[in-house]
PDB file of all heavy atoms in Angstrom:
ATOM      1  N   PHE M  27       3.249 203.024  32.520  1.00 98.00           N
ATOM      2  CA  PHE M  27       2.524 201.805  33.071  1.00 98.00           C
ATOM      3  C   PHE M  27       1.777 201.035  31.960  1.00 98.00           C
ATOM      4  O   PHE M  27       1.017 200.106  32.312  1.00 98.00           O
ATOM      5  CB  PHE M  27       1.671 202.157  34.213  1.00 98.00           C
ATOM      6  CG  PHE M  27       2.270 202.678  35.407  1.00 98.00           C
ATOM      7  CD1 PHE M  27       2.225 204.018  35.733  1.00 98.00           C
ATOM      8  CD2 PHE M  27       3.199 201.745  36.123  1.00 98.00           C
ATOM      9  CE1 PHE M  27       2.842 204.478  36.924  1.00 98.00           C
ATOM     10  CE2 PHE M  27       3.881 202.275  37.306  1.00 98.00           C
ATOM     11  CZ  PHE M  27       3.670 203.652  37.676  1.00 98.00           C
ATOM     12  N   ALA M  28       1.764 201.585  30.742  1.00 98.00           N
ATOM     13  CA  ALA M  28       0.708 201.104  29.723  1.00 98.00           C
ATOM     14  C   ALA M  28      -0.656 201.184  30.338  1.00 98.00           C
ATOM     15  O   ALA M  28      -1.469 200.265  30.183  1.00 98.00           O
ATOM     16  CB  ALA M  28       1.039 199.689  29.225  1.00 98.00           C
ATOM     17  N   ASP M  29      -0.886 202.297  31.017  1.00 98.00           N
ATOM     18  CA  ASP M  29      -2.142 202.449  31.792  1.00 98.00           C
ATOM     19  C   ASP M  29      -3.122 203.213  30.840  1.00 98.00           C
ATOM     20  O   ASP M  29      -3.372 204.420  31.049  1.00 98.00           O
ATOM     21  CB  ASP M  29      -1.859 203.289  33.018  1.00 98.00           C
ATOM     22  CG  ASP M  29      -3.061 203.491  33.932  1.00 98.00           C
ATOM     23  OD1 ASP M  29      -4.252 203.027  33.574  1.00 98.00           O
ATOM     24  OD2 ASP M  29      -2.983 204.122  35.017  1.00 98.00           O
ATOM     25  N   GLY M  30      -3.700 202.521  29.985  1.00 98.00           N
ATOM     26  CA  GLY M  30      -4.593 203.071  28.943  1.00 98.00           C
ATOM     27  C   GLY M  30      -5.268 202.066  28.186  1.00 98.00           C
ATOM     28  O   GLY M  30      -4.971 200.833  28.163  1.00 98.00           O
ATOM     29  N   ILE M  31      -6.319 202.554  27.427  1.00 98.00           N
ATOM     30  CA  ILE M  31      -7.111 201.600  26.628  1.00 98.00           C
ATOM     31  C   ILE M  31      -7.196 202.225  25.199  1.00 98.00           C
ATOM     32  O   ILE M  31      -6.897 203.419  24.931  1.00 98.00           O
ATOM     33  CB  ILE M  31      -8.412 201.344  27.273  1.00 98.00           C
ATOM     34  CG1 ILE M  31      -9.241 202.611  27.409  1.00 98.00           C
ATOM     35  CG2 ILE M  31      -8.357 200.692  28.561  1.00 98.00           C
ATOM     36  CD1 ILE M  31     -10.099 202.947  26.273  1.00 98.00           C
ATOM     37  N   TYR M  32      -7.627 201.403  24.236  1.00 98.00           N
ATOM     38  CA  TYR M  32      -7.663 201.909  22.906  1.00 98.00           C
ATOM     39  C   TYR M  32      -8.865 201.258  22.113  1.00 98.00           C
ATOM     40  O   TYR M  32      -9.432 200.334  22.611  1.00 98.00           O
ATOM     41  CB  TYR M  32      -6.331 201.605  22.145  1.00 98.00           C
ATOM     42  CG  TYR M  32      -6.090 200.202  21.736  1.00 98.00           C
ATOM     43  CD1 TYR M  32      -6.148 199.910  20.422  1.00 98.00           C
ATOM     44  CD2 TYR M  32      -5.796 199.217  22.697  1.00 98.00           C
ATOM     45  CE1 TYR M  32      -5.911 198.598  19.940  1.00 98.00           C
ATOM     46  CE2 TYR M  32      -5.644 197.972  22.226  1.00 98.00           C
ATOM     47  CZ  TYR M  32      -5.612 197.673  20.890  1.00 98.00           C
ATOM     48  OH  TYR M  32      -5.388 196.348  20.474  1.00 98.00           O
ATOM     49  N   SER M  55     -14.274 199.400  28.427  1.00 98.00           N
ATOM     50  CA  SER M  55     -12.786 199.302  28.836  1.00 98.00           C
ATOM     51  C   SER M  55     -12.448 200.432  29.795  1.00 98.00           C
ATOM     52  O   SER M  55     -11.714 200.143  30.750  1.00 98.00           O
ATOM     53  CB  SER M  55     -11.893 199.455  27.515  1.00 98.00           C
ATOM     54  OG  SER M  55     -12.115 198.388  26.639  1.00 98.00           O
ATOM     55  N   THR M  59     -11.329 199.948  33.850  1.00 98.00           N
ATOM     56  CA  THR M  59     -10.036 200.370  34.246  1.00 98.00           C
ATOM     57  C   THR M  59     -10.118 201.663  35.166  1.00 98.00           C
ATOM     58  O   THR M  59      -9.109 202.245  35.550  1.00 98.00           O
ATOM     59  CB  THR M  59      -9.130 200.658  33.135  1.00 98.00           C
ATOM     60  OG1 THR M  59      -9.735 201.480  32.170  1.00 98.00           O
ATOM     61  CG2 THR M  59      -8.679 199.370  32.408  1.00 98.00           C
ATOM     62  N   TYR M  89      -7.607 205.002  14.967  1.00 98.00           N
ATOM     63  CA  TYR M  89      -6.975 204.440  16.208  1.00 98.00           C
ATOM     64  C   TYR M  89      -7.174 205.571  17.167  1.00 98.00           C
ATOM     65  O   TYR M  89      -6.863 206.700  17.036  1.00 98.00           O
ATOM     66  CB  TYR M  89      -5.434 204.228  16.005  1.00 98.00           C
ATOM     67  CG  TYR M  89      -4.724 203.789  17.270  1.00 98.00           C
ATOM     68  CD1 TYR M  89      -4.708 202.497  17.721  1.00 98.00           C
ATOM     69  CD2 TYR M  89      -4.227 204.777  18.181  1.00 98.00           C
ATOM     70  CE1 TYR M  89      -4.044 202.174  18.928  1.00 98.00           C
ATOM     71  CE2 TYR M  89      -3.642 204.416  19.311  1.00 98.00           C
ATOM     72  CZ  TYR M  89      -3.508 203.169  19.710  1.00 98.00           C
ATOM     73  OH  TYR M  89      -2.947 202.859  20.906  1.00 98.00           O
ATOM     74  N   TRP M 144      -2.413 188.147  30.191  1.00 98.00           N
ATOM     75  CA  TRP M 144      -2.978 188.288  31.603  1.00 98.00           C
ATOM     76  C   TRP M 144      -4.403 187.716  31.548  1.00 98.00           C
ATOM     77  O   TRP M 144      -4.944 187.152  30.558  1.00 98.00           O
ATOM     78  CB  TRP M 144      -3.021 189.682  32.015  1.00 98.00           C
ATOM     79  CG  TRP M 144      -3.872 190.695  31.412  1.00 98.00           C
ATOM     80  CD1 TRP M 144      -4.291 190.699  30.018  1.00 98.00           C
ATOM     81  CD2 TRP M 144      -4.465 191.892  31.934  1.00 98.00           C
ATOM     82  NE1 TRP M 144      -5.072 191.762  29.809  1.00 98.00           N
ATOM     83  CE2 TRP M 144      -5.223 192.607  30.952  1.00 98.00           C
ATOM     84  CE3 TRP M 144      -4.431 192.464  33.192  1.00 98.00           C
ATOM     85  CZ2 TRP M 144      -5.848 193.697  31.129  1.00 98.00           C
ATOM     86  CZ3 TRP M 144      -5.114 193.660  33.469  1.00 98.00           C
ATOM     87  CH2 TRP M 144      -5.811 194.247  32.452  1.00 98.00           C
ATOM     88  N   ARG M 146      -7.294 189.334  32.027  1.00 98.00           N
ATOM     89  CA  ARG M 146      -8.401 190.244  31.590  1.00 98.00           C
ATOM     90  C   ARG M 146      -8.392 190.674  30.145  1.00 98.00           C
ATOM     91  O   ARG M 146      -8.317 191.930  29.776  1.00 98.00           O
ATOM     92  CB  ARG M 146      -8.457 191.482  32.531  1.00 98.00           C
ATOM     93  CG  ARG M 146      -8.917 191.209  33.995  1.00 98.00           C
ATOM     94  CD  ARG M 146     -10.345 190.577  34.033  1.00 98.00           C
ATOM     95  NE  ARG M 146     -11.357 191.282  33.352  1.00 98.00           N
ATOM     96  CZ  ARG M 146     -12.106 192.276  33.850  1.00 98.00           C
ATOM     97  NH1 ARG M 146     -11.851 192.655  35.060  1.00 98.00           N
ATOM     98  NH2 ARG M 146     -13.083 192.838  33.132  1.00 98.00           N
ATOM     99  N   CYS M 147      -8.225 189.730  29.251  1.00 98.00           N
ATOM    100  CA  CYS M 147      -8.107 190.016  27.925  1.00 98.00           C
ATOM    101  C   CYS M 147      -9.333 190.616  27.188  1.00 98.00           C
ATOM    102  O   CYS M 147      -9.324 191.079  26.104  1.00 98.00           O
ATOM    103  CB  CYS M 147      -7.656 188.717  27.021  1.00 98.00           C
ATOM    104  SG  CYS M 147      -6.065 188.171  27.618  1.00 98.00           S
ATOM    105  N   ASP M 148     -10.424 190.740  27.981  1.00 98.00           N
ATOM    106  CA  ASP M 148     -11.606 191.336  27.505  1.00 98.00           C
ATOM    107  C   ASP M 148     -11.537 192.928  27.559  1.00 98.00           C
ATOM    108  O   ASP M 148     -12.254 193.579  26.939  1.00 98.00           O
ATOM    109  CB  ASP M 148     -12.885 190.942  28.463  1.00 98.00           C
ATOM    110  CG  ASP M 148     -12.610 191.211  29.949  1.00 98.00           C
ATOM    111  OD1 ASP M 148     -11.509 190.894  30.432  1.00 98.00           O
ATOM    112  OD2 ASP M 148     -13.504 191.878  30.511  1.00 98.00           O
ATOM    113  N   ILE M 149     -10.460 193.435  28.241  1.00 98.00           N
ATOM    114  CA  ILE M 149     -10.268 194.803  28.269  1.00 98.00           C
ATOM    115  C   ILE M 149      -9.362 195.203  27.168  1.00 98.00           C
ATOM    116  O   ILE M 149      -8.222 194.554  26.998  1.00 98.00           O
ATOM    117  CB  ILE M 149      -9.646 195.264  29.658  1.00 98.00           C
ATOM    118  CG1 ILE M 149     -10.603 194.918  30.761  1.00 98.00           C
ATOM    119  CG2 ILE M 149      -9.295 196.786  29.616  1.00 98.00           C
ATOM    120  CD1 ILE M 149     -10.075 195.170  32.164  1.00 98.00           C
ATOM    121  N   LYS M 150      -9.662 196.193  26.335  1.00 98.00           N
ATOM    122  CA  LYS M 150      -8.837 196.522  25.204  1.00 98.00           C
ATOM    123  C   LYS M 150      -7.702 197.476  25.653  1.00 98.00           C
ATOM    124  O   LYS M 150      -7.742 198.697  25.470  1.00 98.00           O
ATOM    125  CB  LYS M 150      -9.632 197.112  24.070  1.00 98.00           C
ATOM    126  CG  LYS M 150      -8.966 197.031  22.721  1.00 98.00           C
ATOM    127  CD  LYS M 150      -9.930 197.112  21.635  1.00 98.00           C
ATOM    128  CE  LYS M 150      -9.340 197.297  20.208  1.00 98.00           C
ATOM    129  NZ  LYS M 150      -8.444 196.171  19.755  1.00 98.00           N
ATOM    130  N   SER M 151      -6.732 196.820  26.421  1.00 98.00           N
ATOM    131  CA  SER M 151      -5.630 197.607  26.986  1.00 98.00           C
ATOM    132  C   SER M 151      -4.521 197.905  26.084  1.00 98.00           C
ATOM    133  O   SER M 151      -4.195 197.061  25.179  1.00 98.00           O
ATOM    134  CB  SER M 151      -5.118 196.797  28.217  1.00 98.00           C
ATOM    135  OG  SER M 151      -3.831 197.155  28.509  1.00 98.00           O
ATOM    136  N   VAL M 152      -3.794 199.071  26.203  1.00 98.00           N
ATOM    137  CA  VAL M 152      -2.729 199.280  25.334  1.00 98.00           C
ATOM    138  C   VAL M 152      -1.415 198.405  25.721  1.00 98.00           C
ATOM    139  O   VAL M 152      -0.458 198.522  25.093  1.00 98.00           O
ATOM    140  CB  VAL M 152      -2.237 200.778  25.281  1.00 98.00           C
ATOM    141  CG1 VAL M 152      -3.400 201.581  24.700  1.00 98.00           C
ATOM    142  CG2 VAL M 152      -1.891 201.249  26.692  1.00 98.00           C
ATOM    143  N   SER M 153      -1.592 197.664  26.899  1.00 98.00           N
ATOM    144  CA  SER M 153      -0.465 196.873  27.314  1.00 98.00           C
ATOM    145  C   SER M 153      -0.410 195.611  26.458  1.00 98.00           C
ATOM    146  O   SER M 153      -1.038 194.543  26.687  1.00 98.00           O
ATOM    147  CB  SER M 153      -0.803 196.396  28.727  1.00 98.00           C
ATOM    148  OG  SER M 153       0.200 195.572  29.213  1.00 98.00           O
ATOM    149  N   LEU M 154       0.258 195.733  25.309  1.00 98.00           N
ATOM    150  CA  LEU M 154       0.192 194.702  24.203  1.00 98.00           C
ATOM    151  C   LEU M 154       1.572 193.989  24.062  1.00 98.00           C
ATOM    152  O   LEU M 154       1.734 193.378  22.978  1.00 98.00           O
ATOM    153  CB  LEU M 154      -0.159 195.369  22.860  1.00 98.00           C
ATOM    154  CG  LEU M 154      -1.624 195.792  22.838  1.00 98.00           C
ATOM    155  CD1 LEU M 154      -1.997 196.572  21.517  1.00 98.00           C
ATOM    156  CD2 LEU M 154      -2.624 194.638  22.985  1.00 98.00           C
ATOM    157  N   ASN M 157       1.112 190.284  23.297  1.00 98.00           N
ATOM    158  CA  ASN M 157       0.625 190.172  21.868  1.00 98.00           C
ATOM    159  C   ASN M 157       1.680 190.436  20.799  1.00 98.00           C
ATOM    160  O   ASN M 157       1.808 189.792  19.855  1.00 98.00           O
ATOM    161  CB  ASN M 157      -0.577 191.117  21.646  1.00 98.00           C
ATOM    162  CG  ASN M 157      -1.655 191.041  22.719  1.00 98.00           C
ATOM    163  OD1 ASN M 157      -1.450 191.246  23.901  1.00 98.00           O
ATOM    164  ND2 ASN M 157      -2.881 190.627  22.385  1.00 98.00           N
ATOM    165  N   LEU M 206     -10.910 189.035  23.786  1.00 98.00           N
ATOM    166  CA  LEU M 206     -11.517 190.279  23.517  1.00 98.00           C
ATOM    167  C   LEU M 206     -12.859 190.084  22.819  1.00 98.00           C
ATOM    168  O   LEU M 206     -12.900 189.289  21.934  1.00 98.00           O
ATOM    169  CB  LEU M 206     -10.544 191.218  22.625  1.00 98.00           C
ATOM    170  CG  LEU M 206     -11.131 192.587  22.342  1.00 98.00           C
ATOM    171  CD1 LEU M 206     -11.012 193.490  23.549  1.00 98.00           C
ATOM    172  CD2 LEU M 206     -10.405 193.271  21.127  1.00 98.00           C
TER     173      LEU M 206
END
Side-chain angles (χ1 to χ4, degrees):
F27 295 112
D29 182 0
I31 60 89
Y32 76 108
S55 295
T59 50
Y89 173 90
W144 70 330
R146 287 304 305 274
C147 295
D148 56 312
I149 298 171
K150 201 160 169 62
S151 157
V152 296
S153 177
L154 291 173
N157 305 63
L206 184 74

